[in-house]
């Protein structure tokens, strides 16, 4: 018997067309062309809108009434109604309507894309130099970088000069007494003289060009050389005269291990093993004696790390030893502590950047790392690790880019901490060349 299958989609062949191609009916209505869905259209509204345009009685008052009626009856203004919307901007949401996805999709940029990316700081040192027989003593100051790009390094009883530009190494001096050693080195601002302090309380002044000692005379203030001693005294030496000792400052009860003049030459900061930080004026008081203008007692350990901010002459950073482990920022004019941060390790040295609002600190146990900090937020920018023993001293290259760290693992590591942005570098070079051309024009 013949049975019909409702599910079959293939029609029977028409008579006389057995050899022709079979045509099938489309499975979906309107699949091959667009057929409007009239049920979704507002035909009455369209007719009304088309006929009312020619109505002469369409006065402004009547239009307002029609708009009011339409809002009451339909919930929307018929003037803004659309017969059929194929594309374009969506209609405005009714007043008071809140979309749950508004927070997600109304953001102009995501937090990740809007965040400013920090500059690239290499995590590995640019160069590693051997420093055999460097003394592992927290209280010594064994490296200093001159404005002429010479790095002075004290290794036991010798002082070596390393030319950063050429890589040449010069042995400047060697102490003959086997019981004596170099305890401090410090360059004068111009970079042609080096002060060398020894364990036996001797301060020597060396001419680098001639490579010879000028006198037995360590922080410089123009022609005044200041030296701190194990007794807690600070001595001022005027290197221009034969009788060079001009003043003695008494304010520490134990050895002086940190000493630094401010960039403007107004104040001398001293840190001692008695946990004190003293701020000394450059001129004598009314009594004829030098007395500290400020004394800070908050540190709970020896203070070796002292550094003046290059763009705020009254701001000083200090760091405490193992029993303190804090970095503190001071305003020496008001005597207030602006901020303090726990570094979680011995602070051996601090250097301010001349390019960025940042400073770098060198540390001891347990990580023996360098840390770069933002100022004034005191947020940690990055840590530089590689030394296997505590960092003893830090010194900065004259261009402000490279930091040299000397450590008890008998290595010197050069870190490119403060590389200048290429665009800013070009702008700075342009400004400097413009200044030099103006000077030359003035001389002519």
């Amino acid at each position: 018997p013949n049975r019909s299958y409702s599910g079959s989609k293939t029609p029977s062949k028409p008579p006389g067309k057995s050899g022709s191609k079979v045509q099938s009916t489309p499975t979906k209505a309107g699949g091959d062309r667009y057929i409007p869905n009239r049920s979704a259209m507002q035909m009455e509204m369209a007719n009304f809108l088309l006929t009312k345009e020619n109505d002469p009685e369409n006065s402004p008052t009547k239009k307002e009434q029609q708009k009011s009626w339409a809002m009451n009856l339909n919930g929307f203004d018929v003037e803004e109604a659309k017969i059929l919307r194929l594309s374009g901007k969506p209609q405005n949401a009714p007043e008071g309507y809140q979309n749950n996805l508004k927070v997600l999709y109304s953001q102009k940029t995501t937090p990740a894309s809007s965040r400013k990316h920090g500059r690239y700081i290499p995590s590995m040192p640019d160069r590693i130099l051997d420093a055999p027989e460097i003394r592992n003593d927290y209280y010594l100051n064994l490296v200093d970088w001159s404005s002429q790009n010479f790095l002075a390094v004290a290794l036991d009883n010798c002082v070596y000069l390393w030319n950063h530009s050429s890589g040449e190494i010069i042995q400047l001096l060697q102490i003959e007494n086997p019981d004596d050693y170099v305890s401090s080195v410090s360059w004068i601002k111009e970079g042609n003289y080096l002060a060398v302090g020894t364990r036996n309380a001797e301060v020597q002044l060396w001419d680098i060009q001639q490579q010879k000692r000028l006198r037995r005379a360590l922080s410089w203030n123009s022609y005044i050389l200041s030296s701190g001693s194990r007794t807690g005294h600070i001595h001022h030496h005027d290197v221009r005269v034969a009788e060079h000792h001009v003043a003695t400052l008494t304010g520490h009860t134990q050895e002086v291990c940190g000493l630094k003049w401010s960039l403007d030459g107004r104040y001398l900061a001293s840190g001692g093993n008695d946990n004190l930080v003293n701020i000394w004026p450059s001129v004598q008081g009314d009594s004829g004696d030098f007395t500290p203008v400020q004394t800070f007692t908050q540190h709970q350990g020896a203070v070796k790390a002292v550094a003046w901010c290059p763009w705020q002459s009254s701001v000083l950073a200090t760091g405490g030893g193992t029993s303190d482990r804090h970095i503190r920022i001071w305003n020496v004019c008001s005597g207030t502590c602006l901020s303090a941060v726990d570094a979680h390790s011995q602070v051996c040295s601090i250097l301010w950047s001349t390019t960025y609002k940042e400073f770098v600190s060198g540390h001891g146990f347990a990580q023996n790392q360098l840390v770069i900090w933002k100022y004034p937020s005191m947020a940690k920018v990055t840590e530089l690790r590689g030394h296997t023993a505590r960092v003893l001293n830090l010194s900065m290259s004259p261009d402000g880019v490279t930091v040299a760290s000397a450590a008890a693992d008998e290595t010197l590591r050069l870190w490119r901490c403060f590389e200048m942005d290429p665009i800013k570098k070009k702008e700075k070079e342009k400004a400097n060349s413009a200044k030099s051309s103006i000077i030359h024009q003035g001389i002519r």
Side-chain angles (χ1 to χ4, degrees), residues 102 120 436:
K102 181 180 179 181
Y120 171 69
S436 62

Side-chain angles (χ1 to χ4, degrees), residues 409-426:
D409 59 5
E410 297 190 340
T411 65
L412 277 169
R413 297 172 188 252
L414 306 185
W415 313 83
R416 297 187 72 83
C417 298
F418 303 112
E419 192 81 62
M420 189 181 293
D421 181 81
I423 297 173
K424 291 182 179 178
K425 189 176 182 181
K426 282 187 179 179

Side-chain angles (χ1 to χ4, degrees), residues 303-366:
V303 182
K304 176 188 178 184
V306 290
W308 292 92
C309 178
W311 62 85
Q312 285 182 287
S313 59
S314 60
V315 173
L316 175 74
T318 59
T322 306
S323 55
D324 179 72
R325 304 181 303 277
H326 277 73
I327 296 173
R328 300 181 187 274
I329 310 295
W330 311 91
N331 184 320
V332 299
C333 294
S334 63
T336 56
C337 181
L338 302 177
S339 57
V341 62
D342 187 353
H344 302 289
S345 60
Q346 181 186 54
V347 185
C348 305
S349 187
I350 295 174
L351 293 175
W352 289 87
S353 170
T354 55
T355 307
Y356 302 95
K357 295 288 181 71
E358 298 172 355
F359 63 88
V360 59
S361 56
H363 299 272
F365 181 82

Side-chain angles (χ1 to χ4, degrees), residues 58-273:
N58 262 347
S59 63
T61 308
K62 191 172 182 179
K63 284 184 178 180
E64 289 178 5
Q65 288 178 347
Q66 289 174 349
K67 185 176 180 179
S68 177
W69 294 338
M71 291 294 293
N72 292 330
L73 294 173
N74 303 318
F76 58 89
D77 185 4
V78 293
E79 296 288 348
E80 297 180 359
K82 302 294 180 181
I83 303 172
L84 183 66
R85 179 179 299 278
L86 299 177
S87 64
K89 295 181 180 180
Q91 289 183 345
N92 295 329
E95 188 177 353
Y97 175 75
Q98 291 292 332
N99 191 335
N100 295 331
L101 299 177
K102 181 180 179 181
V103 176
L104 180 61
Y105 290 104
S106 62
Q107 296 284 341
K108 289 185 178 179
T109 53
T110 61
S113 61
S114 63
R115 185 177 62 236
K116 289 185 178 180
H117 295 285
R119 71 183 190 282
Y120 171 69
I121 302 174
S123 59
M124 300 296 291
D126 184 55
R127 189 174 296 186
I128 301 176
L129 305 174
D130 289 328
E133 298 183 19
I134 192 169
R135 299 190 72 89
N136 183 10
D137 191 331
Y138 175 78
Y139 299 98
L140 307 185
N141 295 276
L142 304 177
V143 295
D144 198 23
W145 210 323
S146 76
S147 58
Q148 296 187 13
N149 219 6
F150 281 89
L151 183 64
V153 185
L155 302 178
D156 195 32
N157 60 344
C158 300
V159 174
Y160 294 88
L161 305 180
W162 180 65
N163 188 330
H164 182 246
S165 302
S166 65
E168 181 186 8
I169 299 175
I170 303 169
Q171 182 176 331
L172 180 66
L173 67 93
Q174 182 174 3
I175 301 174
E176 296 179 358
N177 186 347
D179 297 327
D180 200 4
Y181 57 82
V182 178
S183 58
S184 181
V185 291
S186 179
W187 290 98
I188 195 171
K189 183 180 179 181
E190 291 73 17
N192 53 342
Y193 296 117
L194 178 69
V196 179
T198 71
R199 175 184 179 275
N200 291 341
E202 186 177 75
V203 180
Q204 304 175 5
L205 188 62
W206 286 77
D207 184 331
I208 301 308
Q209 294 176 343
Q210 302 295 327
Q211 293 185 30
K212 70 176 187 178
R213 187 173 63 194
L214 299 180
R215 64 168 53 177
R216 300 176 186 269
L218 277 140
S219 180
W220 291 89
N221 182 20
S222 186
Y223 50 83
I224 298 295
L225 172 65
S226 302
S227 61
S229 68
R230 190 177 282 116
T231 62
H233 295 97
I234 299 170
H235 302 282
H236 288 336
H237 310 271
D238 188 337
V239 299
R240 301 171 300 175
V241 296
E243 297 297 324
H244 52 82
H245 184 263
V246 294
T248 299
L249 282 57
T250 305
H252 292 280
T253 57
Q254 297 184 41
E255 61 189 297
V256 178
C257 45
L259 201 61
K260 190 68 69 175
W261 278 98
S262 61
L263 297 180
D264 58 8
R266 293 175 58 201
Y267 299 109
L268 174 68
S270 63
N273 198 37

